Amino acid sequence: MDIPYTVQPRPDTGLYNAKVGIWLFLASEVMLFGALFSTYILLRVGAPEGLWPHGWLNVPIGTCNTVVLITSSITTVMAWASLKMNQFGRFKFFHACTILLALTFVGIKSYEYRDKFMHYEISLADGRIADGHMIKNELKFADSKWTGHALIKGHFVEDRKELYDLKAAKSHPHEEIPIEGAQIKKLDNYGPWHNTYTAIYFTLTGLHALHVIGGALVIGFLWGPGSKMWKTDPERFTNRIEISGLFWHFVDLVWIFLFPVLYLL
Amino acid sequence: MSDSHISDTHPEHFSHHVRRYLLVFYALLFGTLITVGASYIPFGHRAMNIGVALVIATGKAFLVAGYFMHLISERKMIYGILAFTAFFFVGLMALTIWSFSNFPWHTTTH
């Protein structure tokens, strides 16, 4: 049985069915991300004065990823336009670029995540806090006590509040600090469990990254084995590219808001 | 990407659209630079910085949705779906903001 209205517009909507379907799906996506943005607003407004982190993310890297995603949007629309102009070779080129840019985005995001998981805040028995990136970790935790030793590259602070503005902290000299396990009262990296900021950061960007990976898989299929349809049913194939493109632009659109909210403000 | 928007598949007709896509692309890059630059300017109050960043982001979102997703010339059906979405999204944000001034007395928010 043939699926109806894959190419011809349905008389009552004036659109082929997949297009109505993708817009309904994107509407649900708006509400999904909307709920998480609403959560972000509540967490941020509820944070005590001076205790919402600033400068915890690398702005040049975030800007670079924004440019990568914007560029992938133009290659996506150019891939679709190439099919409309009957230029299959150009379509292949532009969508190969889209896939490479998607992989670049995920790669850069992974690097940022790794940086957060390597970044530790260590409360010491003498009341000081060592904050920095783990270089060597030979610590062991047993019977509620830390043993062994570690080496971090960072600096000491007297008050945790000093850690909330890492832009200012960069003025402190960063040096290699040896840490003895017996000195440690509490050790915590900057993963999602660190505080509400890292929790919402990882939730929002993690969900967004899953969308990038999902979109890249679909585009990858349409670029590879799925592109055989161009020979048998070019109009339907062009519509498939349009639909995957609409999803991809939505992913870009979400990042346009995530970038300033998480990195800059 | 509606049929009404691009019904002519003649290459010359499309080269006009391609030029428009490239202009939008450059505008988005410029908008990104402006967003980053504006974040380093102290506008007096942090709320002002947030407002400026969101205005620029909204402008960029308009360009992506309007031109790359072709919403500036879509069918009524799509506008109808989006009108419902906008209604509920604005409602969600309005309720969120409304809740700030509606905590019970002596509520701690952190």
Side-chain angles (χ1 to χ4, degrees):
Chain A
M1 190 181 83
D2 284 340
I3 300 170
Y5 306 114
T6 54
V7 174
Q8 295 302 319
R10 205 177 126 125
D12 52 356
T13 63
L15 298 157
Y16 60 94
N17 279 354
K19 192 171 216 177
V20 179
I22 189 72
W23 276 110
L24 285 170
F25 174 67
L26 292 182
S28 73
E29 290 278 90
V30 167
M31 296 314 292
L32 171 65
F33 279 99
L36 287 171
F37 272 109
S38 165
T39 308
Y40 169 87
I41 294 167
L42 283 172
L43 289 174
R44 180 162 183 166
V45 172
E49 185 67 29
L51 290 186
W52 188 256
H54 293 289
W56 282 24
L57 300 173
N58 188 315
V59 174
I61 288 180
T63 307
C64 177
N65 241 359
T66 307
V67 171
V68 166
L69 216 50
I70 288 171
T71 310
S72 74
S73 250
I74 181 84
T75 57
T76 300
V77 80
M78 294 294 271
W80 170 77
S82 300
L83 289 182
K84 283 283 189 185
M85 290 189 282
N86 215 17
Q87 295 174 336
F88 188 68
R90 272 169 64 96
F91 154 77
K92 280 284 218 181
F93 168 75
F94 281 120
H95 250 356
C97 293
T98 306
I99 295 162
L100 286 175
L101 288 163
L103 292 175
T104 305
F105 181 90
V106 174
I108 292 173
K109 201 75 227 151
S110 305
Y111 170 79
E112 285 186 288
Y113 278 7
R114 183 180 172 275
D115 182 73
K116 285 283 158 278
F117 284 108
M118 296 282 285
H119 191 169
Y120 280 80
E121 179 190 324
I122 307 171
S123 301
L124 302 173
D126 61 7
R128 291 185 303 168
I129 296 168
D131 186 80
H133 288 81
M134 190 70 77
I135 299 172
K136 196 167 81 176
N137 188 354
E138 290 173 0
L139 293 168
K140 284 179 183 165
F141 189 71
D143 299 329
S144 305
K145 284 181 182 174
W146 287 98
T147 54
H149 54 270
L151 186 67
I152 66 165
K153 187 164 189 182
H155 64 114
F156 283 111
V157 294
E158 302 294 332
D159 189 345
R160 283 196 80 218
K161 282 187 179 176
E162 292 176 52
L163 296 174
Y164 281 87
D165 194 348
L166 288 189
K167 275 182 190 168
K170 278 175 185 164
S171 57
H172 294 291
H174 279 52
E175 55 196 21
E176 289 190 0
I177 304 170
I179 305 281
E180 288 300 323
Q183 293 177 289
I184 298 172
K185 271 176 65 183
K186 190 184 171 203
L187 178 142
D188 193 14
N189 68 8
Y190 280 58
W193 40 78
H194 188 68
N195 60 17
T196 49
Y197 173 80
T198 57
I200 195 69
Y201 162 72
F202 276 101
T203 305
L204 276 166
T205 57
L207 183 67
H208 179 264
L210 285 176
H211 279 72
V212 172
I213 293 166
L217 285 172
V218 171
I219 289 170
F221 171 77
L222 292 172
W223 181 81
S227 66
K228 286 175 191 164
M229 185 184 268
W230 173 253
K231 288 178 184 168
T232 55
D233 197 348
E235 278 190 81
R236 191 175 172 192
F237 180 68
T238 306
N239 286 349
R240 284 187 169 188
I241 295 302
E242 180 179 13
I243 297 304
S244 63
L246 284 170
F247 177 77
W248 194 256
H249 297 312
F250 174 77
V251 171
D252 181 24
L253 213 143
V254 171
W255 185 257
I256 282 173
F257 286 97
L258 281 183
F259 171 60
V261 163
L262 293 172
Y263 285 74
L264 303 176
L265 300 175
Chain B
M1 299 186 188
S2 69
D3 298 331
S4 61
H5 183 62
I6 297 170
S7 53
D8 184 358
T9 54
H10 194 275
E12 281 180 18
H13 178 83
F14 251 86
S15 65
H16 166 73
H17 289 288
V18 168
R19 273 197 299 275
R20 185 186 288 174
Y21 297 144
L22 285 172
L23 282 175
V24 169
F25 172 61
Y26 298 138
L28 289 170
L29 292 181
F30 182 67
T32 303
L33 290 177
I34 297 286
T35 309
V36 175
S39 73
Y40 289 101
I41 300 169
F43 287 107
H45 197 276
R46 192 172 286 277
M48 192 66 185
N49 278 73
I50 293 172
V52 169
L54 289 181
V55 165
I56 298 168
T58 305
K60 288 169 70 184
F62 172 79
L63 289 176
V64 171
Y67 292 96
F68 286 173
M69 299 170 92
H70 295 141
L71 272 184
I72 52 165
S73 56
E74 259 302 351
R75 300 273 179 182
K76 280 182 185 173
M77 175 81 184
I78 303 297
Y79 291 140
I81 293 169
L82 288 177
F84 273 105
T85 312
F87 173 78
F88 286 109
F89 183 81
V90 170
L92 175 68
M93 291 302 157
L95 285 171
T96 304
I97 293 166
W98 189 21
S99 73
F100 299 160
S101 58
N102 201 27
F103 287 119
W105 193 243
H106 289 311
T107 298
T108 304
T109 57
H110 53 267

mmCIF file of all heavy atoms in Angstrom, chain A residues 70-90:
data_model
loop_
_atom_site.group_PDB
_atom_site.id
_atom_site.type_symbol
_atom_site.label_atom_id
_atom_site.label_comp_id
_atom_site.label_asym_id
_atom_site.label_seq_id
_atom_site.Cartn_x
_atom_site.Cartn_y
_atom_site.Cartn_z
ATOM 1 N N ILE A 70 25.785 27.359 12.552
ATOM 2 C CA ILE A 70 25.201 28.272 11.557
ATOM 3 C C ILE A 70 25.643 27.849 10.150
ATOM 4 O O ILE A 70 24.857 27.825 9.206
ATOM 5 C CB ILE A 70 25.611 29.731 11.852
ATOM 6 C CG1 ILE A 70 24.884 30.245 13.105
ATOM 7 C CG2 ILE A 70 25.313 30.634 10.666
ATOM 8 C CD1 ILE A 70 25.384 31.584 13.600
ATOM 9 N N THR A 71 26.925 27.494 10.040
ATOM 10 C CA THR A 71 27.444 27.062 8.727
ATOM 11 C C THR A 71 26.743 25.777 8.267
ATOM 12 O O THR A 71 26.418 25.619 7.089
ATOM 13 C CB THR A 71 28.977 26.843 8.805
ATOM 14 O OG1 THR A 71 29.572 27.991 9.394
ATOM 15 C CG2 THR A 71 29.578 26.623 7.425
ATOM 16 N N SER A 72 26.468 24.880 9.223
ATOM 17 C CA SER A 72 25.778 23.639 8.844
ATOM 18 C C SER A 72 24.355 23.919 8.372
ATOM 19 O O SER A 72 23.800 23.180 7.566
ATOM 20 C CB SER A 72 25.763 22.644 10.009
ATOM 21 O OG SER A 72 24.840 23.033 10.992
ATOM 22 N N SER A 73 23.762 25.006 8.887
ATOM 23 C CA SER A 73 22.418 25.378 8.438
ATOM 24 C C SER A 73 22.430 25.822 6.979
ATOM 25 O O SER A 73 21.536 25.465 6.203
ATOM 26 C CB SER A 73 21.864 26.508 9.317
ATOM 27 O OG SER A 73 20.818 26.040 10.125
ATOM 28 N N ILE A 74 23.444 26.619 6.620
ATOM 29 C CA ILE A 74 23.490 27.094 5.221
ATOM 30 C C ILE A 74 23.808 25.919 4.282
ATOM 31 O O ILE A 74 23.220 25.818 3.202
ATOM 32 C CB ILE A 74 24.491 28.273 5.025
ATOM 33 C CG1 ILE A 74 24.524 28.778 3.581
ATOM 34 C CG2 ILE A 74 25.903 27.927 5.413
ATOM 35 C CD1 ILE A 74 23.479 29.753 3.259
ATOM 36 N N THR A 75 24.656 24.982 4.725
ATOM 37 C CA THR A 75 24.956 23.839 3.835
ATOM 38 C C THR A 75 23.714 22.950 3.665
ATOM 39 O O THR A 75 23.502 22.374 2.606
ATOM 40 C CB THR A 75 26.141 22.992 4.359
ATOM 41 O OG1 THR A 75 25.851 22.539 5.679
ATOM 42 C CG2 THR A 75 27.430 23.772 4.355
ATOM 43 N N THR A 76 22.891 22.884 4.724
ATOM 44 C CA THR A 76 21.658 22.084 4.642
ATOM 45 C C THR A 76 20.692 22.684 3.623
ATOM 46 O O THR A 76 20.135 21.971 2.774
ATOM 47 C CB THR A 76 20.986 22.027 6.028
ATOM 48 O OG1 THR A 76 21.891 21.437 6.938
ATOM 49 C CG2 THR A 76 19.706 21.217 6.001
ATOM 50 N N VAL A 77 20.502 23.992 3.730
ATOM 51 C CA VAL A 77 19.548 24.627 2.807
ATOM 52 C C VAL A 77 20.103 24.614 1.381
ATOM 53 O O VAL A 77 19.351 24.484 0.406
ATOM 54 C CB VAL A 77 19.175 26.050 3.321
ATOM 55 C CG1 VAL A 77 20.208 27.085 2.992
ATOM 56 C CG2 VAL A 77 17.823 26.469 2.777
ATOM 57 N N MET A 78 21.425 24.697 1.244
ATOM 58 C CA MET A 78 22.033 24.644 -0.086
ATOM 59 C C MET A 78 21.912 23.233 -0.688
ATOM 60 O O MET A 78 21.755 23.088 -1.907
ATOM 61 C CB MET A 78 23.512 25.043 -0.008
ATOM 62 C CG MET A 78 23.727 26.493 0.382
ATOM 63 S SD MET A 78 23.141 27.655 -0.845
ATOM 64 C CE MET A 78 24.572 27.812 -1.842
ATOM 65 N N ALA A 79 21.962 22.224 0.180
ATOM 66 C CA ALA A 79 21.797 20.844 -0.301
ATOM 67 C C ALA A 79 20.398 20.665 -0.886
ATOM 68 O O ALA A 79 20.223 20.090 -1.971
ATOM 69 C CB ALA A 79 22.031 19.862 0.847
ATOM 70 N N TRP A 80 19.410 21.197 -0.167
ATOM 71 C CA TRP A 80 18.027 21.097 -0.653
ATOM 72 C C TRP A 80 17.852 21.895 -1.945
ATOM 73 O O TRP A 80 17.239 21.420 -2.910
ATOM 74 C CB TRP A 80 17.075 21.614 0.437
ATOM 75 C CG TRP A 80 15.674 21.773 -0.022
ATOM 76 C CD1 TRP A 80 14.751 20.793 -0.202
ATOM 77 C CD2 TRP A 80 15.027 23.000 -0.364
ATOM 78 N NE1 TRP A 80 13.563 21.332 -0.638
ATOM 79 C CE2 TRP A 80 13.707 22.685 -0.750
ATOM 80 C CE3 TRP A 80 15.430 24.333 -0.387
ATOM 81 C CZ2 TRP A 80 12.794 23.656 -1.145
ATOM 82 C CZ3 TRP A 80 14.530 25.303 -0.787
ATOM 83 C CH2 TRP A 80 13.228 24.956 -1.157
ATOM 84 N N ALA A 81 18.416 23.112 -1.971
ATOM 85 C CA ALA A 81 18.304 23.952 -3.176
ATOM 86 C C ALA A 81 18.978 23.269 -4.365
ATOM 87 O O ALA A 81 18.496 23.368 -5.501
ATOM 88 C CB ALA A 81 18.939 25.318 -2.918
ATOM 89 N N SER A 82 20.067 22.550 -4.118
ATOM 90 C CA SER A 82 20.765 21.846 -5.204
ATOM 91 C C SER A 82 19.857 20.785 -5.829
ATOM 92 O O SER A 82 19.826 20.625 -7.053
ATOM 93 C CB SER A 82 22.034 21.166 -4.678
ATOM 94 O OG SER A 82 22.899 22.126 -4.145
ATOM 95 N N LEU A 83 19.111 20.067 -4.987
ATOM 96 C CA LEU A 83 18.183 19.056 -5.523
ATOM 97 C C LEU A 83 17.089 19.728 -6.336
ATOM 98 O O LEU A 83 16.686 19.212 -7.387
ATOM 99 C CB LEU A 83 17.558 18.243 -4.387
ATOM 100 C CG LEU A 83 18.479 17.259 -3.663
ATOM 101 C CD1 LEU A 83 17.696 16.507 -2.596
ATOM 102 C CD2 LEU A 83 19.115 16.267 -4.636
ATOM 103 N N LYS A 84 16.607 20.866 -5.859
ATOM 104 C CA LYS A 84 15.574 21.596 -6.602
ATOM 105 C C LYS A 84 16.096 22.029 -7.972
ATOM 106 O O LYS A 84 15.331 22.186 -8.917
ATOM 107 C CB LYS A 84 15.127 22.831 -5.806
ATOM 108 C CG LYS A 84 14.181 22.516 -4.651
ATOM 109 C CD LYS A 84 12.787 22.239 -5.189
ATOM 110 C CE LYS A 84 11.757 22.138 -4.082
ATOM 111 N NZ LYS A 84 10.439 21.750 -4.601
ATOM 112 N N MET A 85 17.436 22.239 -8.048
ATOM 113 C CA MET A 85 18.043 22.638 -9.325
ATOM 114 C C MET A 85 18.550 21.424 -10.104
ATOM 115 O O MET A 85 19.278 21.579 -11.070
ATOM 116 C CB MET A 85 19.199 23.620 -9.063
ATOM 117 C CG MET A 85 18.731 24.981 -8.585
ATOM 118 S SD MET A 85 20.046 26.207 -8.515
ATOM 119 C CE MET A 85 20.888 25.765 -7.024
ATOM 120 N N ASN A 86 18.195 20.223 -9.591
ATOM 121 C CA ASN A 86 18.557 18.977 -10.270
ATOM 122 C C ASN A 86 20.066 18.723 -10.286
ATOM 123 O O ASN A 86 20.597 18.143 -11.226
ATOM 124 C CB ASN A 86 18.014 19.005 -11.709
ATOM 125 C CG ASN A 86 17.577 17.635 -12.156
ATOM 126 O OD1 ASN A 86 17.376 16.742 -11.335
ATOM 127 N ND2 ASN A 86 17.448 17.460 -13.459
ATOM 128 N N GLN A 87 20.747 19.203 -9.244
ATOM 129 C CA GLN A 87 22.207 19.032 -9.186
ATOM 130 C C GLN A 87 22.547 18.075 -8.032
ATOM 131 O O GLN A 87 22.845 18.523 -6.915
ATOM 132 C CB GLN A 87 22.884 20.389 -8.991
ATOM 133 C CG GLN A 87 22.670 21.324 -10.176
ATOM 134 C CD GLN A 87 23.220 22.715 -9.931
ATOM 135 O OE1 GLN A 87 23.370 23.139 -8.795
ATOM 136 N NE2 GLN A 87 23.495 23.423 -11.006
ATOM 137 N N PHE A 88 22.499 16.797 -8.321
ATOM 138 C CA PHE A 88 22.686 15.792 -7.283
ATOM 139 C C PHE A 88 24.109 15.813 -6.709
ATOM 140 O O PHE A 88 24.310 15.608 -5.509
ATOM 141 C CB PHE A 88 22.371 14.405 -7.872
ATOM 142 C CG PHE A 88 22.360 13.320 -6.839
ATOM 143 C CD1 PHE A 88 21.378 13.260 -5.865
ATOM 144 C CD2 PHE A 88 23.365 12.349 -6.835
ATOM 145 C CE1 PHE A 88 21.378 12.256 -4.904
ATOM 146 C CE2 PHE A 88 23.364 11.341 -5.876
ATOM 147 C CZ PHE A 88 22.375 11.300 -4.915
ATOM 148 N N GLY A 89 25.090 16.082 -7.568
ATOM 149 C CA GLY A 89 26.487 16.128 -7.109
ATOM 150 C C GLY A 89 26.696 17.222 -6.072
ATOM 151 O O GLY A 89 27.364 17.018 -5.053
ATOM 152 N N ARG A 90 26.099 18.401 -6.343
ATOM 153 C CA ARG A 90 26.213 19.514 -5.379
ATOM 154 C C ARG A 90 25.501 19.164 -4.075
ATOM 155 O O ARG A 90 25.966 19.512 -2.988
ATOM 156 C CB ARG A 90 25.595 20.790 -5.977
ATOM 157 C CG ARG A 90 26.588 21.599 -6.796
ATOM 158 C CD ARG A 90 25.874 22.682 -7.580
ATOM 159 N NE ARG A 90 25.235 23.661 -6.706
ATOM 160 C CZ ARG A 90 25.796 24.812 -6.353
ATOM 161 N NH1 ARG A 90 26.992 25.134 -6.805
ATOM 162 N NH2 ARG A 90 25.154 25.659 -5.575
#
